[in-house]
Amino acid sequence: QVQLVQSGAEVKKPGASVKVSCKASGYTFTSYYMHWVRQAPGQGLEWVGIINPSGGSTAYAPKFQGRVTMTRDTSTSTVYMELSSLRSEDSAVYYCARDPVDIVATVSSSGSYYFDYWGQGTLVTVSS
Amino acid sequence: DIQMTQSPSSLSASVGDRVTITCRASQSIGSYLNWYQQKPGKAPKLLISAASRLQSGVPSRFSGSGSGTDFTLTISSLQPEDFAAYYCQQSYSAPPTFGQGTKLDLK
């Protein structure tokens, strides 16, 4: 069964960076894009960006461009999201979420931009 | 970016009620509309994709309809486990965007 297991909660000071991991299992890691979505306390859902686990290409929401970096390690089926220059407004639960399109089977050059499986979430708290 | 607007923002209902949640897009998105359920402290769960495609394992009391700019999620007979927050999301163009959510609670 598909599982996405994220790293634990983090507390960071303003201006610092945080790196969150998401380990995938139960499917072919390189066949499905992975997204990151965040949710501030009591708020709605906000898309952060997407990574192709096969080639490593990425696309980020304009709001995070320049501050976010997504990477992957195919040997461990893990994707990472690093967010720098943290501010209090970045305090949120960060989710990894799989794109449902099989890149290989559909010969797709992009994801479908919705989310069929989600990690359990990682709470990032930014506080001085 | 495409703006998604849900209504109502909150809704009180009873077990057995039929409820409808509406989602409107700021431009036409065809059928590229998805619905998620989120319970407190949990990740969202995909219920419906492509406006009306029920995901495997999702009870048939959930249904979705609409195209273009106006969409609805209907729960035909509320069950105790359905009290949660619901979000619509467009996948027509990047960046994908979500509605602000509808919180469904017990009357």
Side-chain angles (χ1 to χ4, degrees):
Chain A
Q1 72 283 21
V2 174
Q3 279 196 302
L4 303 175
V5 179
Q6 298 183 222
S7 49
E10 302 265 12
V11 179
K12 296 292 182 181
K13 293 194 182 302
S17 297
V18 67
K19 191 171 186 177
V20 181
S21 68
C22 169
K23 183 174 176 60
S25 62
Y27 70 97
T28 302
F29 175 70
T30 51
S31 290
Y32 296 82
Y33 287 91
M34 193 75 78
H35 302 264
W36 289 89
V37 175
R38 78 176 187 179
Q39 186 172 37
Q43 302 301 307
L45 298 158
E46 181 176 35
W47 183 75
V48 179
I50 182 175
I51 182 167
N52 179 342
S54 178
S57 60
T58 56
Y60 306 131
K63 175 177 180 175
F64 302 100
Q65 197 78 35
R67 285 206 302 141
V68 68
T69 304
M70 295 178 185
T71 56
R72 93 291 187 214
D73 182 344
T74 56
S75 69
T76 61
S77 298
T78 303
V79 294
Y80 301 90
M81 185 214 61
E82 184 170 22
L83 189 61
S84 62
S85 302
L86 289 169
R87 33 214 190 224
S88 59
E89 311 89 87
D90 294 318
S91 293
V93 176
Y94 289 77
Y95 294 102
C96 58
R98 196 187 77 160
D99 192 290
V101 170
D102 184 325
I103 304 166
V104 175
T106 61
V107 197
S108 172
S109 60
S110 67
S112 60
Y113 285 82
Y114 69 102
F115 323 105
D116 62 351
Y117 290 93
W118 296 64
Q120 83 276 18
T122 296
L123 177 62
V124 174
T125 302
V126 183
S127 174
S128 55
Chain B
D1 299 0
I2 297 175
Q3 309 281 5
M4 306 300 294
T5 304
Q6 283 181 238
S7 60
S9 296
S10 63
L11 177 59
S12 295
S14 301
V15 173
D17 284 354
R18 178 185 180 90
V19 300
T20 297
I21 298 169
T22 297
C23 179
R24 175 165 289 176
S26 61
Q27 66 181 75
S28 179
I29 58 171
S31 295
Y32 290 90
L33 191 283
N34 312 291
W35 290 98
Y36 301 85
Q37 177 193 65
Q38 186 179 32
K39 296 183 178 179
K42 299 295 186 183
K45 172 187 175 183
L46 178 64
L47 297 177
I48 288 170
S49 63
S52 60
R53 186 188 306 154
L54 200 65
Q55 297 303 291
S56 175
V58 175
S60 60
R61 61 181 180 272
F62 291 91
S63 64
S65 65
S67 65
T69 60
D70 294 313
F71 302 87
T72 59
L73 172 69
T74 300
I75 310 172
S76 60
S77 178
L78 272 174
Q79 298 303 300
E81 60 269 28
D82 300 337
F83 292 96
Y86 293 85
Y87 294 90
C88 63
Q89 177 248 328
Q90 66 82 16
S91 50
Y92 177 78
S93 68
T97 47
F98 295 85
Q100 81 280 13
T102 296
K103 186 178 179 184
L104 177 56
D105 60 23
L106 185 61
K107 186 185 290 183

